[in-house]
Amino acid sequence: MPTPSLLVPFYEHPAERPDAWAALVGAAPSLYGVVLNPASGAGPAPDPAFADAAGRLRAAGVRVLGYVDTAYGRRPHAEVVGELLRHRDWYAVDGAFLDQVATAPGALAHYRRIAVAARAAGAATLVFNHGARPDPGYEAQADLLVTFEGPWDTYRTLDLPAAPHHCHLVYAAPAGFRPATPVHCAVPGAGAHPWGTLPHLPEPAR
């Protein structure tokens, strides 16, 4: 059985890409988790298609993580927590994928409060997407830190640490390429919407 190592941010609607969502369900043994992003967050109201997709992933044993943009610490605490609760109540997510997380130590208190609220709301898994290497103080707040997000042309020039609690998200990546971290994702998509493509892996389970 493959090691569950792929964290997949797939930002496409299940009604428009049903085959792709089915492929994710079929690849469940290789998935660390899937980021659920109905409308750059939970959206203004529940979306039945995303609720169904989340349910199928959970039934297959896949973590479902609700997407929440934190605007590098500029988004108020109450807004972030409200969105965490909507993801929980509408989609029964297993945890949260916090995007645009600050890297500097000055924002640590803000994110510590968010992490406490997320855990209290039932988030079993918490991912911080910094997109770059953050201050070490963030390591105690989340289960996984995304310490790189960007194109393969940049990634291949860097010598980044690959700790077990780090994740690298790479787009515009060639087939067969795998980032250095145990949990990762590499997709062929590029441009303004790279996370509208599935990774080269997973292969559907047989």
Side-chain angles (χ1 to χ4, degrees), residues 2-197:
T3 301
S5 58
L6 286 169
L7 174 62
V8 182
F10 185 53
Y11 302 157
E12 289 289 328
H13 199 281
E16 296 174 0
R17 299 284 302 279
D19 291 347
W21 283 90
L24 284 175
V25 173
S30 64
L31 300 181
Y32 175 90
V34 172
V35 181
L36 200 75
N37 187 9
S40 296
D47 186 318
F50 274 100
D52 177 70
R56 287 186 287 125
L57 286 166
R58 286 196 312 277
V62 179
R63 289 183 186 92
V64 179
L65 306 175
Y67 175 97
V68 180
D69 185 0
T70 70
Y72 298 108
R74 296 188 300 272
R75 193 174 184 195
H77 174 83
E79 284 189 16
V80 172
V81 174
E83 191 146 34
L84 289 168
L85 294 174
R86 290 194 295 277
H87 272 296
R88 182 197 66 184
D89 296 343
W90 296 348
Y91 305 112
V93 296
D94 305 290
F97 179 91
L98 301 185
D99 197 19
Q100 299 199 110
V101 176
T103 58
L108 264 171
H110 175 69
Y111 284 99
R112 189 176 295 115
R113 288 183 66 216
I114 290 173
V116 169
R119 300 295 191 191
T125 300
L126 193 55
V127 178
F128 282 3
N129 182 14
H130 304 274
R133 193 173 182 183
D135 182 87
Y138 288 93
E139 295 184 3
Q141 312 309 319
D143 300 288
L144 197 65
L145 305 180
V146 178
T147 57
F148 178 87
E149 181 182 357
W152 178 72
D153 278 348
T154 299
Y155 186 76
R156 64 178 179 165
T157 68
L158 303 175
D159 183 18
L160 297 171
H165 59 287
H166 289 174
C167 173
H168 294 163
L169 302 178
V170 184
Y171 54 82
F177 167 73
R178 295 190 184 192
T181 48
V183 179
H184 55 260
C185 191
V187 300
H193 186 43
W195 304 115
T197 55

